[in-house]
Amino acid sequence: MSLSIIAIVLAAALLHAVWNAIVKSAVDRTTTLGLVALGQVLPATVMIVLLPLPNVESAIYIAISTIVHFGYFYLLGKAYHHGDLSVVYPIARGIVPALVSLWAILLLGEVLPVLVWVGISLIVAGILLSNWKALRSGVGKTTLGLALATGFCISIYSLVDGIGVRVSGNTLSYWAWGAFLHVFIAGFIGWRRRKTLSSIPRRIWITGIAGGMVSMIAYGLVLYAKNFAPLGVVSALRETSVIFATLIGFFILKEGNWKRRLGAAVLMVFGITFIALNA
């Protein structure tokens, strides 16, 4: 696996952590998630006008991905309603690399070397360790179920988009149409929040839409990498966003336990190294 692809996915992970930090700091996370979706629709509208259509074979994958993303946004909002982000996020993201690798083996015949599995396991361990105190304090059944369901959705759209982008014939077009169809998510949340939209401060609008654009760029980088690397490997590297998020929490938001966070970062670095040398 080339260092350039690793760098691209890690850059996507950092950007993903940034937009999640935006959602974390929001008072109304549901509305912010709607604005994040809208922030993807706006640039995507311009792109689909300028770019050629992706191959027709990828249309079904774009449609399925849109439906699964809708479920992801819904479950994520519900999960954050019942549990803290520091509990929900590591569970939801932590199960994804193993699930995506499993789906890729069963459905695509992708075979990963044993040492790559060791790398994936180290990354998952780092994800869980980064928020171990919150996880150890106890997770309610509702929160756990919603977090696991959210992670399941992530694994499904990761697999679907991994196949879809490979048959699309044009990564940019696939990326643009996938982002544009977030209009249904933005529209649904906008309708649910229609009575309060006029009272949302301009700063919240700008922050949410900017977060959506960052999210779109992050996922575009991941889609590009899926053309050149096994889906499970890309997923594992992408989920290092958790450690970036916890580092942002420590240095910027002044959240504590640097020793645990450093230990998690070291585990992830070892995991990335195993993947880089053996994928």
Side-chain angles (χ1 to χ4, degrees):
M1 186 175 182
S2 70
L3 291 178
S4 60
I5 295 298
I6 293 174
I8 286 171
V9 181
L10 292 179
L14 176 58
L15 292 174
H16 189 271
V18 169
W19 83 258
N20 271 269
I22 290 172
V23 173
K24 179 178 180 178
S25 61
V27 176
D28 185 344
R29 287 173 179 157
T30 299
T31 299
T32 302
L33 284 171
L35 292 173
V36 166
L38 180 61
Q40 298 193 39
V41 173
L42 296 178
T45 302
V46 177
M47 291 176 68
I48 63 173
V49 172
L50 299 176
L51 293 170
L53 289 171
N55 291 338
V56 67
E57 292 86 353
S58 66
I60 184 64
Y61 297 102
I62 295 173
I64 294 173
S65 177
T66 299
I67 294 169
V68 178
H69 267 91
F70 192 98
Y72 160 68
F73 271 79
Y74 177 79
L75 289 168
L76 186 64
K78 284 287 188 182
Y80 285 157
H81 177 73
H82 289 278
D84 292 338
L85 183 139
S86 61
V87 174
V88 171
Y89 193 79
I91 295 174
R93 310 305 307 196
I95 66 171
V96 173
L99 283 178
V100 172
S101 298
L102 178 62
W103 305 150
I105 289 171
L106 295 176
L107 300 176
L108 302 180
E110 289 189 353
V111 178
L112 299 178
V114 172
L115 289 179
V116 171
W117 277 104
V118 172
I120 291 173
S121 299
L122 288 172
I123 289 174
V124 171
I127 291 170
L128 298 177
L129 178 62
S130 66
N131 291 278
W132 181 248
K133 183 177 181 180
L135 294 172
R136 192 177 60 179
S137 66
V139 182
K141 291 183 179 179
T142 301
T143 301
L144 178 61
L146 289 168
L148 290 173
T150 301
F152 180 79
C153 283
I154 296 168
S155 74
I156 295 300
Y157 76 63
S158 296
L159 175 70
V160 169
D161 285 337
I163 301 172
V165 74
R166 292 178 181 180
V167 301
S168 68
N170 190 315
T171 299
L172 288 177
S173 296
Y174 187 92
W175 173 42
W177 277 98
F180 173 74
L181 291 180
H182 277 67
V183 66
F184 294 108
I185 299 171
F188 176 77
I189 295 177
W191 174 255
R192 293 287 299 272
R193 290 289 197 269
R194 62 189 181 278
K195 294 182 180 179
T196 60
L197 287 179
S198 61
S199 62
I200 298 175
R202 181 181 297 178
R203 178 180 60 83
I204 302 300
W205 279 90
I206 294 173
T207 302
I209 290 174
M213 292 180 178
V214 171
S215 172
M216 181 181 174
I217 293 170
Y219 201 58
L221 293 172
V222 169
L223 286 177
Y224 175 78
K226 286 179 178 180
N227 286 293
F228 305 100
L231 301 186
V233 171
V234 173
S235 178
L237 293 176
R238 183 183 182 276
E239 301 315 331
T240 57
S241 61
V242 172
I243 197 63
F244 286 125
T246 56
L247 290 174
I248 289 172
F250 178 73
F251 288 107
I252 298 177
L253 303 180
K254 306 303 180 183
E255 297 173 350
N257 205 317
W258 67 270
K259 293 181 180 179
R260 186 179 68 251
R261 294 171 194 272
L262 179 61
V266 170
L267 281 176
M268 288 192 177
V269 168
F270 276 114
I272 292 168
T273 302
F274 271 102
I275 289 172
L277 295 177
N278 298 282

